[in-house]
Amino acid sequence: MTIREVAKHAGVSVATVSAVINDNKYVSDELKHKVLQAIKELNYRPNRWAKSLATGKGYTIAYIVPDITNPIFSRITKGIQGVANEKNYSVILCSTNFDSPTRRRYVDWILEMRVDGVVFTGRHGRESLTEITRLQDAAIPVVTALAPSDVTDMDRVLLDDRESSRLAVRFLKESQCQRIAFVGVRQSTTSKERYRGYSDEIADYCPEQVAYGEDFTWDDGYQAAQQLTKNGALFDGVFAASDIMALGVIACLKEHGRDVPEDVQIMGFDNTYAQWSGQGFASMSIPAFEIGVKAAQMLFDRISEIEIPGMQELFMASLAVPRVRPSLNPNLNLNLKE
Amino acid sequence: MTIREVAKHAGVSVATVSAVINDNKYVSDELKHKVLQAIKELNYRPNRWAKSLATGKGYTIAYIVPDITNPIFSRITKGIQGVANEKNYSVILCSTNFDSPTRRRYVDWILEMRVDGVVFTGRHGRESLTEITRLQDAAIPVVTALAPSDVTDMDRVLLDDRESSRLAVRFLKESQCQRIAFVGVRQSTTSKERYRGYSDEIADYCPEQVAYGEDFTWDDGYQAAQQLTKNGALFDGVFAASDIMALGVIACLKEHGRDVPEDVQIMGFDNTYAQWSGQGFASMSIPAFEIGVKAAQMLFDRISEIEIPGMQELFMASLAVPRVRPSLNPNLNLNLKE
DNA sequence: GGACTGCAGCTAACCGGTTAGCCAGGAAAT
DNA sequence: ATTTCCTGGCTAACCGGTTAGCTGCAGTCC
């Protein structure tokens, strides 16, 4: 079913049909009606490929993400998706599994698909930077989301991990914790920032006590807690760089006979589990959906406007207090709904 | 940068360049070399749109999913993604947020994008069936994944919720539970199947005790448990239709002073939280990644082979015992790694 | 030597849209 | 009455690939 068949059926020219479809030229009501009629009768749908080829616009953006399985990232995806669809763009998903060759292949691909823009999420090592540069060299707009880096002239939306972490630690302080420890991930930029916030906030308050794992996992949290206790550290509060690590920490502490939250209070980060785990620990909620929305909006700004200086947007995480017995403490429950 | 420029640069015809790129015709080594040289020098990349227009193949599949944020669905996505990429297909993501109009718009869209195939996940109500039919009418292959329905002549991959649930309940029985209750979701087909398994297994064992919520949420789990206790039901085991509901149940029971797992043993389903929550409850692990892989494979089978009868694939969930203290019980820990 | 065969490589049409530029015919101006 | 202007609608070229079918040359056979 092509536009020419529709034209023939309606007794008009292809230009007229095209004008009706795109509503970008005046067409008399009579012809317009005929054309619409013909389209309906033939159940015609314009061919996206032909349109893209002719106009040079693909109405597609790509989202490059290390792991779609990560709840934070899938919420970002949702945000991007929403904005894109509103503008009639489709989003193609590129989940790289933290693998550089895969990431490289995706970029090759994006290049030949003539995608209109890319949102990029993930660790921002040297090689990711190369990929981003390749995209930009091909004049494809890129916005990074949650991908901290030193490159400042890039459109990006970030989370203020440092400041958010100060809020987290401040909450522990306000909850009567005297000695607060930090559990993080050695090589992670994100974890480093969260440590910074911890360090800032703890400075004139108590000595630093820190333990690291290699990755944001339950096991690494468990092991880090093991280290802390093994070193005979005294603490009544732990700030962990992620919820899943916090759960590892809690498991370890309980094994050592320390009650949570009675003996030790725990603070997580990202609020992926805290709210639901029933372990009574607080966390920092990352506005991931909003971050996705913002990133997509910035991307579309870039796509339409030609030259705007490197935009930047900073989000804060918000405190999520553990769910409590709804009946006993109804007022605390108000804004904790997912 | 077009194929014609490359041809000119290399001093050959466009047909030759095309043949080299697609490696589908014999070309002398000399010319092949010249062409590859030219491609490299000009940094040429074939245009996907033109290719698709000419060949009628888009190398794209779509994944329609109610909510990408659901961990099970995002794992399915990952599986699909992997298979598709291997075959040089891209996958465009359509997260409908359980909204029919949105779903409808996606299908319109898929139709005009001439996508090669669709994987469909989600509740399988009447309207989703309409959408699927629309796709099939346009000769677009569809495979449903985790979308139970009465339509049997459709390619689909399913989870055997009933049989898996029997395994779940059997585990509770083997753990010395005498009276096992079920907590489910009233309108859900999935929940209904899980109830069936429960019912099968409990038949000659103990009386049925059942409570329902309206959705798979923490609150609904909590409320259902409330009901159970209010009705004065006696139970020492609860099988919940999902982990998040199980967590709601646990919270409620603890408020009533019942210890988990000492007084009451809990069984979840989907293993999204059980493993990590530290609440010591078991769950049934859904092989979501594998389901995604299988669905994609079936879709590609359909795309290449013209006529194969309605294929069907049934997966089972597997028992995931709660994580225990690694040091104390190392052997149980073996196959529980994520 | 001429006819025939095989095949590397070329030309040009085609996929299905968009759109610059042209044309026809009615209205307004002279 | 003629010229000019305006504009709705049309024709045809173009986007950048693929590919059917042709060309011309070298080798083979009678």
Side-chain angles (χ1 to χ4, degrees):
Chain A
M1 199 48 46
T2 75
I3 202 172
R4 281 164 240 268
E5 295 179 67
V6 175
K8 189 171 291 173
H9 193 81
V12 301
S13 75
V14 293
T16 305
V17 177
S18 175
V20 170
I21 292 171
N22 297 298
D23 198 20
N24 55 6
K25 233 175 225 155
Y26 180 81
V27 178
S28 69
D29 285 348
E30 190 201 340
L31 291 199
K32 193 179 282 184
H33 180 75
K34 275 199 208 167
V35 169
L36 292 175
Q37 188 69 19
I39 289 178
K40 187 157 291 177
E41 278 176 31
L42 299 175
N43 191 28
Y44 165 77
R45 277 171 200 292
N47 181 315
R48 213 56 158 19
W49 305 329
K51 181 170 187 146
S52 291
L53 181 57
T55 59
K57 294 225 65 190
Y59 299 96
T60 304
I61 62 173
Y63 180 39
I64 301 181
V65 60
D67 180 15
I68 185 62
T69 273
N70 179 317
I72 298 296
F73 295 156
S74 70
R75 284 174 214 168
I76 293 181
T77 310
K78 201 174 181 176
I80 295 173
Q81 174 91 285
V83 176
N85 291 168
E86 220 165 77
K87 298 197 185 277
N88 269 297
Y89 274 65
S90 42
V91 3
I92 83 163
L93 186 67
C94 310
S95 186
T96 65
N97 302 322
F98 290 104
D99 180 55
S100 293
T102 308
R103 181 154 14 72
R104 216 193 130 67
R105 270 184 32 232
Y106 274 127
V107 171
D108 281 342
W109 208 357
I110 286 171
L111 252 23
E112 77 182 42
M113 297 209 30
R114 263 78 167 166
V115 152
D116 296 298
V118 175
V119 177
F120 185 101
T121 288
R123 338 211 150 161
H124 212 333
R126 236 141 283 98
E127 338 106 24
S128 1
L129 207 57
T130 329
E131 301 305 340
I132 292 178
T133 314
R134 281 175 66 212
L135 290 169
Q136 290 179 324
D137 287 350
I140 296 177
V142 178
V143 172
T144 66
L146 295 193
S149 84
D150 326 320
V151 190
T152 59
D153 63 337
M154 185 175 277
D155 298 332
R156 53 184 183 172
V157 7
L158 298 167
L159 183 73
D160 193 336
D161 281 292
R162 185 170 183 171
E163 207 53 45
S164 303
S165 297
R166 295 192 67 154
L167 292 180
V169 174
R170 211 169 295 158
F171 178 74
L172 286 178
K173 280 156 77 173
E174 285 163 8
S175 309
Q176 325 299 342
C177 291
Q178 300 302 323
R179 309 182 125 248
I180 302 170
F182 174 76
V183 164
V185 171
R186 208 181 309 280
Q187 300 287 354
S188 152
T189 335
T190 312
S191 168
K192 219 163 277 174
E193 283 299 300
R194 292 178 189 167
Y195 161 73
R196 278 229 182 90
Y198 160 80
S199 184
D200 292 348
E201 195 63 35
I202 227 77
D204 322 312
Y205 188 77
C206 69
E208 287 190 9
Q209 300 178 65
V210 177
Y212 289 107
E214 304 305 322
D215 217 334
F216 290 96
T217 67
W218 193 96
D219 291 281
D220 289 66
Y222 182 93
Q223 245 115 53
Q226 197 88 10
Q227 268 179 57
L228 279 179
T229 47
K230 199 168 286 173
N231 297 347
L234 293 173
F235 54 86
D236 54 1
V238 178
F239 173 40
S242 87
D243 274 17
I244 190 81
M245 290 188 95
L247 286 165
V249 170
I250 291 171
C252 177
L253 295 181
K254 287 198 166 167
E255 277 174 36
H256 284 78
R258 307 189 64 177
D259 190 65
V260 174
E262 293 311 317
D263 302 342
V264 188
Q265 297 206 46
I266 309 290
M267 184 84 206
F269 204 110
D270 66 28
N271 194 26
T272 47
Y273 289 92
Q275 200 82 106
W276 312 115
S277 70
Q279 295 282 8
F281 70 103
S283 188
M284 300 302 297
S285 202
I286 299 177
F289 180 83
E290 290 77 9
I291 287 173
V293 168
K294 190 70 206 176
Q297 284 170 345
M298 279 172 60
L299 186 61
F300 283 115
D301 284 353
R302 247 305 181 241
I303 289 174
S304 47
E305 279 131 79
I306 316 296
E307 263 316 316
I308 21 181
M311 296 177 288
Q312 193 150 317
E313 189 83 24
L314 203 57
F315 278 85
M316 287 287 283
S318 59
L319 186 67
V321 164
R323 204 166 241 279
V324 289
R325 291 169 267 187
S327 46
L328 300 185
N329 199 339
N331 57 323
L332 246 181
N333 199 32
L334 287 177
N335 54 354
L336 292 182
K337 289 211 158 188
E338 159 66 323
Chain B
M1 198 49 45
T2 77
I3 203 174
R4 281 164 239 268
E5 296 179 67
V6 175
K8 189 172 292 174
H9 193 83
V12 301
S13 75
V14 293
T16 305
V17 176
S18 175
V20 170
I21 292 170
N22 297 299
D23 199 19
N24 55 6
K25 231 173 230 161
Y26 180 82
V27 178
S28 69
D29 285 348
E30 191 199 340
L31 291 199
K32 192 179 283 183
H33 180 75
K34 274 198 209 170
V35 169
L36 292 175
Q37 188 71 18
I39 288 177
K40 186 158 290 177
E41 277 175 33
L42 300 175
N43 190 27
Y44 164 78
R45 274 171 201 293
N47 181 315
R48 219 38 160 31
W49 303 329
K51 181 169 186 144
S52 291
L53 181 56
T55 59
K57 294 224 65 192
Y59 299 97
T60 304
I61 62 174
Y63 179 39
I64 301 182
V65 59
D67 179 15
I68 184 62
T69 273
N70 180 317
I72 299 297
F73 295 156
S74 70
R75 283 174 214 168
I76 293 181
T77 310
K78 201 174 180 176
I80 295 174
Q81 173 91 282
V83 177
N85 291 168
E86 220 164 77
K87 299 200 185 275
N88 270 297
Y89 274 66
S90 41
V91 3
I92 82 163
L93 184 68
C94 310
S95 185
T96 65
N97 303 320
F98 290 105
D99 180 55
S100 293
T102 308
R103 181 157 10 76
R104 216 192 131 68
R105 270 185 31 232
Y106 274 126
V107 171
D108 282 341
W109 208 357
I110 286 171
L111 253 22
E112 77 182 42
M113 295 209 30
R114 265 79 169 165
V115 152
D116 297 299
V118 175
V119 177
F120 184 102
T121 288
R123 337 212 151 160
H124 213 331
R126 234 141 283 97
E127 339 105 24
S128 2
L129 206 57
T130 330
E131 302 304 339
I132 292 177
T133 314
R134 281 175 67 211
L135 290 168
Q136 290 178 326
D137 287 350
I140 296 177
V142 178
V143 173
T144 65
L146 295 192
S149 84
D150 325 321
V151 190
T152 59
D153 63 337
M154 185 174 278
D155 298 333
R156 53 183 183 171
V157 7
L158 297 166
L159 184 73
D160 192 335
D161 281 292
R162 185 170 184 171
E163 207 53 47
S164 302
S165 297
R166 294 192 68 153
L167 292 180
V169 174
R170 209 169 297 157
F171 178 75
L172 286 177
K173 281 157 75 174
E174 284 163 8
S175 309
Q176 325 299 341
C177 291
Q178 300 302 325
R179 311 182 123 247
I180 301 170
F182 175 75
V183 165
V185 171
R186 208 178 311 277
Q187 299 288 354
S188 154
T189 334
T190 312
S191 170
K192 218 163 278 174
E193 281 300 299
R194 293 178 189 168
Y195 161 75
R196 278 229 182 90
Y198 160 79
S199 185
D200 292 347
E201 195 62 35
I202 228 77
D204 322 310
Y205 188 76
C206 67
E208 286 191 10
Q209 299 177 66
V210 177
Y212 288 107
E214 302 306 322
D215 216 334
F216 289 97
T217 67
W218 192 96
D219 291 281
D220 288 66
Y222 183 94
Q223 246 115 53
Q226 198 89 9
Q227 269 178 57
L228 279 180
T229 48
K230 200 169 287 174
N231 298 348
L234 291 173
F235 54 87
D236 55 0
V238 178
F239 173 39
S242 86
D243 274 18
I244 191 82
M245 290 189 95
L247 286 166
V249 169
I250 292 172
C252 177
L253 295 181
K254 287 199 166 167
E255 277 174 36
H256 285 79
R258 306 191 63 176
D259 191 65
V260 174
E262 293 309 317
D263 301 343
V264 188
Q265 298 205 46
I266 309 291
M267 184 83 205
F269 204 111
D270 66 28
N271 195 25
T272 47
Y273 290 92
Q275 200 80 110
W276 311 114
S277 70
Q279 296 281 10
F281 70 102
S283 188
M284 299 303 295
S285 202
I286 299 177
F289 180 83
E290 290 77 9
I291 287 174
V293 167
K294 191 69 206 177
Q297 284 169 345
M298 279 172 60
L299 186 60
F300 284 114
D301 284 353
R302 250 299 182 244
I303 289 173
S304 47
E305 279 130 79
I306 316 297
E307 265 314 317
I308 22 182
M311 297 177 287
Q312 191 150 319
E313 189 82 24
L314 204 57
F315 278 84
M316 286 288 283
S318 58
L319 186 66
V321 164
R323 204 166 241 279
V324 290
R325 293 169 266 187
S327 47
L328 299 186
N329 200 338
N331 56 324
L332 245 181
N333 200 33
L334 285 178
N335 54 354
L336 293 181
K337 288 212 160 190
E338 159 66 323

